[in-house]
Amino acid sequence: MNGSFRVGSLFGIPFYVNTSWFIVLALVTLNYGGQLGATFPELGGTAATLLGLVSALLLFSSVLAHELGHSFVAMSQGIEVKSISLFLFGGLASFDRESKTPSQAFWVAIAGPLVSLGIFLGLRLILNSASTLSPVTAILSLLASINLVLALFNLIPGLPLDGGNVLKAIVWKITGDPYKGVVFAGRVGQVMGWLAIGLGLIPILLGGVPQLWTILIGWFLLQNAGRAAQSAKIERTLSNRTAADVVSPNSPIVRQDLTLREFANQHVIGNSREWKRFLVVDGDKKLVGAIAVDDTRAVATSDWVKTTVAELTKPLSLETIAANTSLLEALQTMERLAQSELPVADENGAIVGLFEKNTALEILREEREPDRKREPEPEPTLTKAE
Ligand SMILES: [Zn+2]
């Protein structure tokens, strides 16, 4: 997150604080300090402000406890917690992967609100046995209500809130499809966002002041709910399509027994794309090497009918991608091998086409922006393949 810096570790989890958090800390300190000073005038200004700071720090400890609740359950499922951050809107724990089953996802999501609810109940028990009103009981009672609000607000059933994740897990359980869960909970999150914005604006109709905080929360929900649904859609595209689905329709592949004349006429001249190099295959479509179009210039054109592609073929040590590999895995392989193109082979080792990273990314971009026009085809770059 922008403007965040690390302040240490909590149970081995890197702990970050966003600069926006200090603004909230200052505001909360002044606000609570003021309230305490007004209720207990005998405290004096300095002590009241100090107690305000203590309350504010306890408030954020409550947020941290909530995030640790999510984190501990995630860790018990073997999920790595990458970080816990405090920022303007509260806290955020980020994990390296999602839960594997809907019930595991449910428990990770519900753990935070359960911790907040537990703190609320614990504090209420202590307060019920305390007889007199003092600054300490005032702070504890404030803390109790904050934890209750933390639990209830986070249980609003729209992504990205915990309630949204609970809803996602339930829809996932019912439909068996985690993406349906995300999309549904994302939509509900968007509805909640609009609802909050509407509620925040209502006072204007009644001649009052709009509730900025409610509007801000609505906007936050709207932004993040849309993003959650979007990334689920992309993930689904990546895992539902295979490498074979996205090979270039006009892949640069040539049979080794063709003459250079046939190669030039059938593959190079009039090709919509200027391939610099073609993959060469044998009669079984197995990869034997590559031919560079430039190398054909070394042979006199009059000899092209007598020379075969095989004679100019150079060996090529390229990994191939299995045709049934998911788009996600194929892109990860490209990344690992630092390649922008790799041949795709079926289960018999026959080359079915060339997988281009750019084509795959283009498909993803279209998924994200359905109305967007296709970009001109990128320049072929099968040059560093050797
Ligand atoms: Zn939470």
Side-chain angles (χ1 to χ4, degrees):
M1 194 178 294
N2 284 338
S4 290
F5 55 92
R6 189 169 169 175
V7 288
S9 294
L10 286 167
F11 303 95
I13 304 164
F15 174 41
Y16 291 84
V17 167
N18 191 272
T19 36
S20 65
W21 174 79
F22 287 99
I23 303 168
V24 184
L25 181 72
L27 287 176
V28 172
T29 300
L30 290 176
N31 186 16
Y32 290 173
Q35 281 180 29
L36 286 167
T39 320
F40 307 98
E42 68 276 14
L43 280 175
T46 317
T49 309
L50 270 177
L51 284 177
L53 179 65
V54 170
S55 319
L57 290 174
L58 284 172
L59 184 160
F60 285 107
S61 307
S62 302
V63 175
L64 270 184
H66 175 108
E67 296 307 325
L68 283 172
H70 292 301
S71 302
F72 286 154
V73 175
M75 281 152 85
S76 77
Q77 297 173 8
I79 297 171
E80 191 198 330
V81 184
K82 288 195 294 187
S83 66
I84 289 183
S85 329
L86 284 182
F87 66 111
L88 188 61
F89 287 104
L92 191 75
S94 71
F95 307 134
D96 74 328
R97 65 169 175 86
E98 296 212 25
S99 300
K100 290 203 168 108
T101 65
S103 46
Q104 284 187 335
F106 173 84
W107 286 111
V108 171
I110 201 82
L114 283 183
V115 167
S116 303
L117 216 54
I119 296 176
F120 163 75
L121 291 174
L123 289 172
R124 283 307 338 163
L125 272 178
I126 296 172
L127 286 165
N128 284 349
S129 58
S131 48
T132 52
L133 181 69
S134 70
V136 174
T137 54
I139 291 175
L140 290 185
S141 133
L142 189 74
L143 214 54
S145 8
I146 282 165
N147 276 282
L148 183 63
V149 169
L150 213 55
L152 295 182
F153 174 73
N154 276 293
L155 282 173
I156 293 175
L159 278 179
L161 298 173
D162 297 335
N165 279 308
V166 168
L167 186 61
K168 173 189 128 181
I170 293 170
V171 175
W172 177 4
K173 179 91 185 167
I174 295 170
T175 62
D177 184 348
Y179 305 115
K180 277 191 184 142
V182 179
V183 170
F184 186 79
R187 294 249 168 80
V188 176
Q190 282 172 311
V191 172
M192 294 292 168
W194 283 118
L195 216 63
I197 291 174
L199 280 174
L201 289 173
I202 281 177
I204 296 183
L205 298 177
L206 307 172
V209 186
Q211 291 175 336
L212 284 179
W213 192 243
T214 315
I215 294 172
L216 206 58
I217 287 172
W219 180 81
F220 167 80
L221 278 178
L222 214 52
Q223 290 289 311
N224 288 280
R227 210 169 291 153
Q230 199 58 57
S231 62
K233 209 172 149 199
I234 289 172
E235 216 171 290
R236 178 163 52 178
T237 309
L238 280 171
S239 48
N240 279 4
R241 297 213 201 176
T242 65
D245 291 339
V246 292
V247 292
S248 307
N250 190 12
S251 293
I253 296 169
V254 59
R255 269 192 11 239
Q256 62 174 351
D257 57 341
L258 291 194
T259 65
L260 291 187
R261 176 49 54 210
E262 289 168 318
F263 170 48
N265 287 352
Q266 296 169 18
H267 293 278
V268 183
I269 300 164
N271 196 322
S272 59
R273 289 183 57 178
E274 271 182 42
W275 299 103
K276 292 190 173 70
R277 185 188 288 236
F278 283 70
L279 299 171
V280 179
V281 294
D282 62 14
D284 294 328
K285 289 190 167 179
K286 294 211 167 80
L287 188 65
V288 292
I291 180 171
V293 175
D294 277 350
D295 288 353
T296 59
R297 294 210 191 113
V299 180
T301 346
S302 52
D303 289 337
W304 279 17
V305 285
K306 296 183 288 189
T307 315
T308 61
V309 166
E311 290 170 61
L312 290 183
T313 297
K314 286 178 181 153
L316 191 66
S317 63
L318 257 192
E319 282 202 32
T320 54
I321 297 178
N324 59 2
T325 307
S326 77
L327 200 47
L328 179 64
E329 249 181 281
L331 282 170
Q332 282 166 346
T333 306
M334 308 288 263
E335 204 69 32
R336 180 167 51 81
L337 300 173
Q339 296 283 351
S340 57
E341 299 153 325
L342 281 180
V344 176
D346 68 14
E347 64 272 27
N348 301 316
I351 302 298
V352 296
L354 187 70
F355 180 92
E356 293 176 282
K357 197 172 166 184
N358 282 335
T359 312
L361 294 178
E362 186 63 27
I363 287 171
L364 290 181
R365 244 173 266 144
E366 274 170 19
E367 198 78 24
R368 196 159 41 197
E369 305 157 53
D371 302 328
R372 195 167 159 279
K373 289 253 163 49
R374 226 172 199 287
E375 266 180 8
E377 299 257 316
E379 284 292 301
T381 51
L382 188 68
T383 43
K384 56 174 178 181
E386 219 148 356

